Amino acid sequence: MRTPVVIDGLHLRWFVPPKLGETVHWGLAWNSASPRRWAALEPKWSQTADVRASSKLLMRRLTAGPKADVLAQPSIGRAGALQFMFNADLPVPAQIAVSGALTLVAGTPRKNVAARQMWADFDSDAITVGVIRRLRLVSIASDMLPNARLPHGSNWGWASRQFVSGTERVYELAHPPDTLASYQLTDRVNGLHRESFLLVDLETARRPDRKTRCTR
């Protein structure tokens, strides 16, 4: 079973770049924005996972006002040997359907405090063991665009940085980059911006092996 995993420039600075054929022990994550955010990368990928609550404490998801804030339970999705963390609305569902891509939260650490902290924050029961089968460099442009997910009215609203559809550029890689570039495309403040990501095909077993724990 192959799963697309996105690594951004920040996490590539914190963790060792993966190599083709390498077996990795990773902490992965998904959120409700992933299907929209990563839709163009692997549009046919989706997975239904069984869900169990993590031992991590409840999270508070901010909304338009403090009285409307929503509590969410850090949870673990599992499909075969693939595992990932996400914040589930209460009550925690028995299953979840995910799409878009997963993101790397914790990997093979470089010697820095941030990498150690990411492992400390990640639930060790949610580790995924898999093999790197494909590496691609993805470059996507983004801009400040109206965001209907944020509070808005008929003639006002909030903007957020979002990917611009159709600007994706994808390159096959034989070796991973050590860093990922990002740069401004215009002189406009908060204007058009291009950012690179490492897209990994992670192969995992369709059936889980024995329980895997990882201590950092």
Side-chain angles (χ1 to χ4, degrees):
M1 181 170 66
R2 292 195 181 189
T3 301
V5 178
V6 175
I7 306 175
D8 63 22
L10 185 62
H11 286 80
L12 199 65
R13 291 201 299 269
W14 292 346
F15 301 106
V16 177
K19 297 178 180 179
L20 285 172
E22 179 184 8
T23 298
V24 294
H25 293 68
W26 277 358
L28 304 173
W30 182 88
N31 62 48
S32 59
S34 295
R36 172 180 51 84
R37 182 172 175 79
W38 307 116
L41 302 187
E42 287 290 355
K44 295 183 179 180
W45 179 78
S46 64
Q47 187 64 253
T48 299
D50 295 329
V51 175
R52 68 184 189 277
S54 166
S55 60
K56 298 295 182 179
L57 298 176
L58 287 172
M59 306 285 289
R60 184 178 296 276
R61 187 170 70 246
L62 301 180
T63 57
K67 293 183 178 180
D69 289 352
V70 177
L71 291 178
Q73 171 65 57
S75 299
I76 301 169
R78 181 162 201 160
L82 175 70
Q83 297 195 111
F84 57 90
M85 291 196 69
F86 71 102
N87 291 329
D89 291 338
L90 299 177
V92 175
Q95 288 189 321
I96 186 172
V98 299
S99 59
L102 302 184
T103 55
L104 178 71
V105 174
T108 304
R110 301 180 192 255
K111 294 182 179 179
N112 61 65
V113 174
R116 292 195 297 271
Q117 186 60 50
M118 295 304 290
W119 275 114
D121 293 340
F122 195 81
D123 191 324
S124 59
D125 286 333
I127 302 301
T128 288
V129 179
V131 179
I132 307 300
R133 294 304 187 195
R134 189 181 185 187
L135 297 173
R136 283 171 285 176
L137 180 69
V138 179
S139 175
I140 313 176
S142 62
D143 203 352
M144 295 297 291
L145 300 171
N147 190 338
R149 295 165 60 89
L150 298 176
H152 64 281
S154 59
N155 59 356
W156 66 274
W158 294 89
S160 64
R161 183 162 291 281
Q162 301 174 53
F163 291 142
V164 179
S165 179
T167 64
E168 303 86 2
R169 299 173 184 171
V170 182
Y171 308 90
E172 293 286 342
L173 299 176
H175 304 282
D178 196 55
T179 60
L180 292 170
S182 63
Y183 50 92
Q184 199 76 11
L185 295 174
T186 70
D187 294 332
R188 177 166 54 91
V189 176
N190 293 325
L192 201 62
H193 179 90
R194 183 167 283 279
E195 186 174 1
S196 296
F197 301 88
L198 182 61
L199 178 61
V200 175
D201 279 15
L202 182 68
E203 184 177 58
T204 54
R206 292 190 177 276
R207 293 185 178 181
D209 295 325
R210 65 182 182 277
K211 190 175 182 181
T212 302
R213 293 182 64 88
C214 185
T215 303
R216 300 285 172 179

